[in-house]
Amino acid sequence: MARCFAMAVLLLVAPLLVCGRLNEGTNSTAPFVSLETCQSEYALLAARLAELEPRLAELETLQTLGRSLRAPVLHQEEVHAEEEQEQDLLRFGSKKFYEACFMAFLCVVAAALAAGLTMGLVSIDPMEMEIIVKTEDKDMTDEEERAKLKQDQAA
């Protein structure tokens, strides 16, 4: 409906614009070339509007029926291709749907694990690792510290 309204407004205003353009090249101070010219231009545009309105209504009807405005009639191959594409989609609640959800969850968990391990590896400074490796048991004063040192060296 908005298109129809826009077309009607354009066709009503267009004669004024056309007549104004025709008058731009003249030295006349009158806003239009002549009233007869504008009326004839208006009549032509109104006839064209009346000619195009049924086609617009037909296209809107086709659109409401679910057909494409660019290709109103689909070939059999295109219809078959669309049906195959719809069949490729997983239906909610089906076994394949839940398998796909589980696999997606598994991928996200694996990515998080890899990111966490990478951050842990990057956070350890090479100098700190060298100090841990070269530290001996006799340097520790407490049994807890010795156990932590052995655990760090084992890692």
Side-chain angles (χ1 to χ4, degrees):
M1 275 312 209
R3 282 190 207 163
C4 187
F5 178 73
M7 285 180 65
V9 168
L10 179 66
L11 289 174
L12 291 174
V13 174
L16 301 174
L17 295 175
V18 169
C19 292
R21 283 192 200 143
L22 291 175
N23 196 31
E24 285 176 1
T26 64
N27 291 332
S28 173
T29 57
F32 301 110
V33 173
S34 71
L35 184 58
E36 292 82 24
T37 306
C38 289
Q39 287 176 342
S40 65
E41 187 71 27
Y42 177 78
L44 287 173
L45 291 173
R48 182 70 177 146
L49 175 64
E51 182 182 312
L52 292 175
E53 279 181 338
R55 290 182 65 195
L56 180 63
E58 181 182 332
L59 288 174
E60 287 175 349
T61 304
L62 289 175
Q63 185 180 16
T64 58
L65 292 175
R67 295 185 181 168
S68 172
L69 289 175
R70 294 183 185 189
V73 179
L74 297 176
H75 299 312
Q76 189 64 24
E77 298 86 24
E78 293 173 347
V79 172
H80 186 63
E82 285 181 6
E83 288 174 358
E84 285 181 1
Q85 186 179 11
E86 287 179 9
Q87 290 175 355
D88 289 343
L89 298 176
L90 299 176
R91 300 281 179 223
F92 179 75
S94 67
K95 183 179 178 184
K96 292 245 183 217
F97 175 80
Y98 288 116
E99 286 176 0
C101 288
F102 176 73
M103 293 305 289
F105 178 74
L106 190 64
C107 287
V108 169
V109 168
L113 180 65
L117 291 173
T118 303
M119 290 303 294
L121 182 63
V122 171
S123 68
I124 296 176
D125 189 31
M127 182 67 150
E128 184 180 341
M129 287 175 32
E130 191 174 328
I131 291 172
I132 290 173
V133 170
K134 289 186 178 182
T135 305
E136 297 178 4
D137 284 345
K138 63 180 179 180
D139 296 334
M140 298 294 139
T141 58
D142 193 349
E143 279 300 318
E144 284 182 30
E145 290 179 354
R146 286 188 184 117
K148 183 169 180 346
L149 177 64
K150 286 185 181 185
Q151 183 183 13
D152 289 344
Q153 288 177 341

